[in-house]
Amino acid sequence: LEENQNYYFYVCGYVIINTDKGEIPEFSDRSDILSVNMSAPTPTPQVTNSPKPEITPTPAPLVTPEPTETPAPTPSASPESGIKDKKAGSFIITDAVNSYISFSWSAVDGAEEYELSYSNTPNGERIPLRRISASETYCRNIEVTGAMFNVRENINVTDVQAYGQTRNEERYYFIRAVAKGEYSQYSDYVKVALHTEQLMAPDATPTPAPNPSPTLSPGTDDDGYTVGSKKKIGKLIYRITAKSNSAMTVEVVRPVKKTYKSVTIPATVKIGGKEYKVTSVKASAFLKNKKLARIVFGKNIRKIGRKSFYGCRKLMNITFKTKNVKSFGKKAFHGITMKCRFIIPKKVLAKYKKLIRKTEG
């Protein structure tokens, strides 16, 4: 039976009667009609257990802390160089040549640079002139405009007085160290004074009669040259280092010009009619001669000074005729080209190589 349909049922009886025409069914009266409605059954709701509601605890009110003052960050101090209380010493004028002066001073530990300055009075405003690398404790060729000094080398003084100049002027020079943006104290000043007047000669005094047998002081002679005297010969300037019966020697101070490409240091030179052996090259003699390409050392050279050829970037050929070099100063050949060729007598080759390597230590 299908759902949602009405059905009607009844019953009746019947018998089978045999007639001439065959079996014929004969029915009784029908019973009462039974009506049946086949509607779909209504589903019975299922009872489900509802979950108990969860009790969410009420959070306790938040207590906002009272604001407190945040201390300002303390700025970190930059590392100090430690030179503020230091001071360069032994500040001197080493040379006063033509219109240029040169200086030297003692090193300051921790310095990265040095600053050279000047003032027109001992306590006046310092005007910076030049910055110098900490690897150097000298400064060459500072021009004093309009001045004209006599050739005065290795004077090593703190006061230069120049007469017969075009104006009267005083200058005071200072040096100080620089590191990490800090400065050391200024050095004691050195002074350069220009005077328009001529230096007056002292009053003439009677000249005593010459002694027929004069007694000469050590290192002097009747030729007028003494130990320390300088003489320009050819491309070089020499200084007498010894003058006695046992030794007559000079050293090479510097070249006359920095533009020479080739220089030969001779074995001997004549000064005042006397022969001197050339035995040494002064410290910094050829410092930063950027055109020098060839140097020859004579056979009497025994000592080559500190930084004597420092920074000679084009120096390509160094020839030793001497077998007597006892010492090479520190950084004597520092900064020369790596292509430089050393020509050394075979007898002293190993010795010189060892000495030259030590100069870079």
Side-chain angles (χ1 to χ4, degrees):
L1 299 179
E2 295 181 3
E3 292 180 353
N4 298 321
Q5 297 290 332
N6 288 323
Y7 291 93
Y8 301 92
F9 297 90
Y10 63 88
V11 295
C12 67
Y14 71 93
V15 292
I16 299 300
I17 300 176
N18 293 318
T19 68
D20 295 341
K21 295 181 180 179
E23 293 180 348
I24 300 173
E26 184 176 343
F27 294 91
S28 68
D29 294 331
R30 294 181 295 182
S31 68
D32 294 330
I33 296 173
L34 175 64
S35 176
V36 176
N37 185 289
M38 298 299 292
S39 61
T42 302
T44 303
Q46 295 182 353
V47 179
T48 58
N49 295 325
S50 300
K52 295 181 180 180
E54 294 184 1
I55 300 175
T56 304
T58 303
L62 294 175
V63 178
T64 304
E66 294 183 2
T68 57
E69 294 185 1
T70 303
T74 303
S76 56
S78 301
E80 295 186 356
S81 63
I83 66 167
K84 288 183 178 180
D85 297 325
K86 296 180 181 179
K87 178 179 177 180
S90 303
F91 184 43
I92 58 174
I93 300 170
T94 57
D95 303 282
V97 180
N98 297 329
S99 59
Y100 297 92
I101 53 177
S102 302
F103 306 89
S104 72
W105 58 89
S106 59
V108 175
D109 290 340
E112 296 175 350
E113 286 183 306
Y114 295 99
E115 180 189 79
L116 178 71
S117 58
Y118 81 95
S119 175
N120 292 320
T121 62
N123 299 312
E125 178 186 1
R126 272 75 158 173
I127 301 172
L129 283 173
R130 185 178 295 180
R131 286 286 183 102
I132 304 100
S133 168
S135 64
E136 299 176 349
T137 54
Y138 56 86
C139 181
R140 291 189 171 187
N141 299 331
I142 295 295
E143 185 175 13
V144 182
T145 306
M148 182 55 64
F149 304 105
N150 294 325
V151 178
R152 302 169 69 185
E153 297 173 317
N154 293 321
I155 52 179
N156 299 336
V157 296
T158 58
D159 191 330
V160 169
Q161 303 289 325
Y163 295 87
Q165 304 296 310
T166 59
R167 68 185 187 280
N168 292 311
E169 183 181 350
E170 290 184 352
R171 280 196 176 188
Y172 299 83
Y173 293 87
F174 305 83
I175 197 76
R176 64 177 177 174
V178 185
K180 293 181 173 60
E182 297 180 342
Y183 295 88
S184 72
Q185 297 182 34
Y186 282 105
S187 67
D188 296 331
Y189 66 77
V190 296
K191 177 182 176 182
V192 175
L194 307 180
H195 306 277
T196 55
E197 70 269 19
Q198 297 289 341
L199 180 63
M200 301 299 294
D203 293 338
T205 56
T207 303
N211 189 332
S213 301
T215 302
L216 298 177
S217 301
T220 65
D221 205 344
D222 53 3
D223 59 10
Y225 292 95
T226 64
V227 172
S229 294
K230 294 179 182 177
K231 180 70 174 176
K232 182 179 78 170
I233 303 173
K235 294 181 177 180
L236 300 171
I237 294 174
Y238 301 88
R239 186 176 74 90
I240 297 174
T241 54
K243 187 176 184 182
S244 66
N245 293 333
S246 60
M248 300 279 284
T249 61
V250 296
E251 70 174 353
V252 176
V253 176
R254 64 177 178 85
V256 176
K257 298 179 181 179
K258 284 193 170 186
T259 55
Y260 300 134
K261 294 182 179 180
S262 177
V263 173
T264 297
I265 299 173
T268 61
V269 293
K270 280 193 174 182
I271 300 177
K274 294 179 173 61
E275 188 173 78
Y276 293 79
K277 291 182 177 181
V278 184
T279 59
S280 62
V281 179
K282 185 178 180 291
S284 303
F286 292 83
L287 181 77
K288 294 184 179 179
N289 280 30
K290 296 179 181 179
K291 294 190 178 293
L292 186 66
R294 180 174 180 267
I295 186 75
V296 178
F297 295 102
K299 67 179 182 180
N300 291 319
I301 292 291
R302 296 197 295 264
K303 178 183 177 183
I304 297 174
R306 179 177 180 268
K307 291 188 175 181
S308 49
F309 295 90
Y310 183 102
C312 296
R313 294 181 295 182
K314 292 188 177 181
L315 189 54
M316 296 287 292
N317 186 295
I318 300 175
T319 300
F320 292 89
K321 293 185 176 180
T322 174
K323 301 176 184 178
N324 302 313
V325 179
K326 304 297 181 185
S327 68
F328 292 87
K330 188 175 181 181
K331 298 187 182 295
F333 300 106
H334 184 82
I336 67 174
T337 174
M338 297 295 290
K339 298 178 181 179
C340 184
R341 181 185 179 199
F342 287 78
I343 302 173
I344 302 172
K346 185 175 180 181
K347 183 178 179 180
V348 291
L349 177 60
K351 173 186 173 183
Y352 282 15
K353 285 174 67 176
K354 183 176 180 181
L355 290 173
I356 291 171
R357 287 195 186 103
K358 283 186 177 180
T359 66
E360 295 298 319

